[in-house]
């Protein structure tokens, strides 16, 4: 029954009056020409959806996320520079659910939030650079913090993600925090919320926050 349903879904790709069952496995027209046409359409659809996803993510970040954050400009500027220089970073923004448990795992700072402070904390020579920075309002409350890891290491390894990404997603699985992760391997920036992670274009977000 399931296999029949799967076949029916593909029948719309075939000429009128024909279906997937019309072609035998040895039919060259099916295995080559038709397959190439289907794969081309799937590739175009995937590319279009990818562009749409990036556009919506950028709009959401610029219109919904950063404007609602105190100190959003400083965070955006710091992440843009960290990304450009490929310096790894893990920045957690506390919201309604307190992150005191994770704050206590790091070094207490309670310093005013600024771009220069964030850059200095993640500079490779800083002993706190491997941990997370936790921000509460406009205050950097702690650095070098240890966050809970997401429980699916194979998923992250498959996607080429490391411990920072696992920790960032892990925190959002147990709290309502927003976490930004900068990859030191690629410089890509990701945002994690509610246990989900997406890559974002921080360049356009940084520009939007400073204009």
């Amino acid at each position: 029954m399931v296999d029949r349903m799967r076949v029916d879904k593909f029948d719309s790709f075939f000429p009128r009056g024909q279906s997937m069952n019309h072609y035998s496995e040895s039919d060259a027209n099916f295995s080559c020409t038709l397959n190439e046409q289907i794969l081309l359409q799937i590739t175009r659809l995937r590319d279009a959806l990818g562009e749409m996803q990036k556009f919506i993510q950028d709009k959401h970040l610029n219109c919904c996320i950063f404007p609602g954050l105190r100190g959003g400009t400083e965070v955006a500027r710091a992440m843009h520079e960290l990304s450009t220089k490929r310096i790894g970073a893990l920045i957690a923004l506390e919201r309604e659910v307190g992150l005191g448990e994770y704050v206590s795992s790091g070094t207490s700072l309670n310093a005013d939030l600024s771009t220069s402070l964030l850059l200095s904390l993640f500079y490779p020579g800083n002993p706190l650079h491997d941990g997370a920075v936790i921000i509460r309002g406009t205050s950097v409350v702690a650095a070098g913090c240890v966050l809970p890891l997401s429980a699916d290491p194979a998923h992250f390894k498959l996607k080429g993600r490391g411990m920072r990404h696992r920790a960032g997603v892990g925190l959002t699985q147990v709290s309502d925090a927003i976490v930004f992760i900068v990859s030191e391997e690629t410089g890509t920036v990701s945002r994690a919320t509610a246990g989900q992670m997406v890559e974002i274009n921080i360049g356009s977000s940084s520009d939007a926050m400073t204009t």
Side-chain angles (χ1 to χ4, degrees):
M1 180 67 178
V2 174
D3 289 341
R4 176 65 256 173
M5 292 174 64
R6 289 174 177 171
V7 169
D8 290 342
K9 289 181 180 180
F10 287 99
D11 285 349
S12 60
F13 286 103
F14 293 83
R16 184 184 298 273
Q18 297 179 359
S19 70
M20 199 170 206
N21 288 335
H22 176 80
Y23 298 89
S24 66
E25 292 181 0
S26 61
D27 192 318
N29 290 327
F30 170 73
S31 61
C32 295
T33 305
L34 187 59
N35 273 7
E36 289 176 358
Q37 292 175 357
I38 294 174
L39 289 172
L40 178 61
Q41 293 302 319
I42 291 174
T43 299
R44 289 174 175 171
L45 177 60
R46 183 181 61 201
D47 291 343
L49 289 174
E51 290 299 317
M52 185 183 300
Q53 181 186 38
K54 290 179 181 178
F55 176 79
I56 293 174
Q57 286 172 358
D58 287 346
K59 287 295 183 182
H60 182 69
L61 196 66
N62 293 332
C63 300
C64 304
I65 300 297
F66 276 129
L69 297 174
R70 290 181 292 170
T73 302
E74 286 75 16
V75 175
R77 286 172 174 167
M79 286 193 296
H80 181 258
E81 187 163 342
L82 291 166
S83 172
T84 301
K85 295 180 178 179
R86 295 194 178 186
I87 297 175
L90 184 57
I91 301 173
L93 309 180
E94 186 183 70
R95 300 170 80 185
E96 296 298 324
V97 177
L99 301 178
E101 175 184 353
Y102 309 106
V103 168
S104 63
S105 70
T107 299
S108 179
L109 297 178
N110 292 313
D112 291 338
L113 173 62
S114 69
T115 299
S116 59
L117 175 59
L118 291 175
L119 293 176
S120 66
L121 289 172
F122 289 111
Y123 183 75
N126 192 313
L128 302 176
H129 82 281
D130 274 335
V133 162
I134 296 179
I135 297 173
R136 179 182 296 147
T138 58
S139 176
V140 177
V141 292
C145 301
V146 179
L147 305 183
L149 297 178
S150 178
D152 187 8
H155 171 76
F156 290 89
K157 185 176 181 180
L158 183 65
K159 292 182 173 294
R161 309 300 191 192
M163 294 291 284
R164 280 194 182 91
H165 295 87
R166 281 187 64 193
V169 173
L171 182 64
T172 69
Q173 291 173 331
V174 297
S175 74
D176 62 349
I178 299 174
V179 182
F180 294 100
I181 309 106
V182 181
S183 169
E184 61 183 326
E185 286 81 16
T186 64
T188 57
V189 180
S190 302
R191 173 178 57 85
T193 52
Q196 301 296 318
M197 181 176 64
V198 294
E199 288 187 6
I200 59 176
N201 180 2
I202 199 64
S204 61
S205 300
S206 177
D207 293 341
M209 293 300 298
T210 58
T211 57

